[in-house]
Amino acid sequence: MKICYYLDLPTDEYIWFARASIASVRSVMPGAEIVLMTTTQWAGPDLGVDNVRRLNLPMDCFYGYRKYFSQSTIEGDSLFLDVDCIVQKDVSGIFEREFDITVCYRCETDPLKRMLPFNGGVVFSRCPEFWKEATGNPGDHKDWVDPERRLSETATNDAYLVRAIDGNVYNYTPNLPGEDLSGKAIVHYKGRRKEFVLPGITECAA
């Protein structure tokens, strides 16, 4: 099983979260192979991963295209995580089920749930072809909404066996600092929630 991250912008904030996420994986799933997917221009620090894949990706397009393209190059049982995800429980059991892709429903409190039912920050995958379709062309990714929309649209394609699991457990976004997260398998500090663990952070992507 591989745990895969895509990162090509080595800001202090992203590096802090990447290290915290990697450490969380090492704690609960010590046997997993951790892979950093990035570009040939990567100049970030050593994050202590097992494998770095440097891809020749265009930098003049939106980040979502590069992320999805990199995911289309990974074969076998793989968990794709955003770097702002903290893994609190061993989730390798998800791969005991048959599927091409397992996605997480957005949390019930997420206002985007109806328009974009799935969040791409936590995806269990064993089907590179799914990601090739979801990637599309560089021009298909103009902002952060486009990759999320393409994920949801591709997940409805009957060509793939797609399973959906509870985002309130496997891709949970906290609402308040200090919230009890003991029952969550993966906590996703997306957007402004990063301030809950790293005060003063300015990165506020969705």
Side-chain angles (χ1 to χ4, degrees):
M1 174 183 173
K2 293 183 285 289
I3 310 294
C4 304
Y5 300 91
Y6 180 80
L7 181 62
D8 61 24
L9 186 63
T11 65
D12 290 344
E13 292 84 1
Y14 278 125
I15 294 301
W16 188 93
F17 270 98
R19 285 177 167 152
S21 185
I22 290 166
S24 73
V25 171
R26 295 286 192 207
S27 176
V28 298
M29 293 184 289
E33 176 189 0
I34 300 181
V35 179
L36 172 65
M37 303 176 295
T38 188
T39 69
T40 54
Q41 293 87 13
W42 171 255
D46 181 1
L47 296 177
V49 301
D50 300 307
N51 185 8
V52 178
R53 295 193 177 196
R54 299 174 183 268
L55 303 171
N56 187 17
L57 298 170
M59 297 302 292
D60 58 349
C61 62
F62 189 71
Y63 174 92
Y65 173 82
R66 299 192 297 277
K67 175 185 174 183
Y68 278 14
F69 184 94
S70 70
Q71 292 176 182
S72 75
T73 69
I74 302 292
E75 297 183 350
D77 291 356
S78 306
L79 170 56
F80 297 126
L81 289 178
D82 283 356
V83 297
D84 52 2
C85 291
I86 301 298
V87 183
Q88 302 193 141
K89 300 180 186 294
D90 184 345
V91 296
S92 59
I94 295 294
F95 286 104
E96 295 175 2
R97 296 282 298 274
E98 183 180 358
F99 62 83
D100 292 321
I101 297 289
T102 290
V103 290
C104 297
Y105 287 115
R106 288 181 178 269
C107 297
E108 293 300 328
T109 57
D110 193 325
L112 296 173
K113 183 176 177 65
R114 177 170 296 183
M115 179 177 69
L116 302 168
F118 309 122
N119 176 268
V122 178
V123 183
F124 299 80
S125 173
R126 49 168 65 109
C127 183
E129 289 75 19
F130 176 95
W131 296 107
K132 291 174 184 176
E133 180 175 339
T135 300
N137 299 306
D140 295 329
H141 298 260
K142 298 180 176 62
D143 57 30
W144 69 265
V145 174
D146 288 329
E148 297 289 278
R149 176 180 53 79
R150 293 189 65 85
L151 172 65
S152 294
E153 290 176 351
T154 308
T156 64
N157 187 333
D158 291 339
Y160 307 108
L161 179 57
V162 177
R163 181 183 175 209
I165 56 178
D166 189 357
N168 289 296
V169 176
Y170 294 99
N171 190 356
Y172 182 70
T173 299
N175 296 301
L176 297 170
E179 186 176 335
D180 180 11
L181 303 172
S182 58
K184 311 304 180 184
I186 300 176
V187 181
H188 190 176
Y189 290 96
K190 61 188 179 76
R192 298 182 183 276
R193 289 82 169 185
K194 293 177 179 61
E195 294 184 347
F196 294 173
V197 290
L198 192 61
I201 192 170
T202 56
E203 194 284 322
C204 294

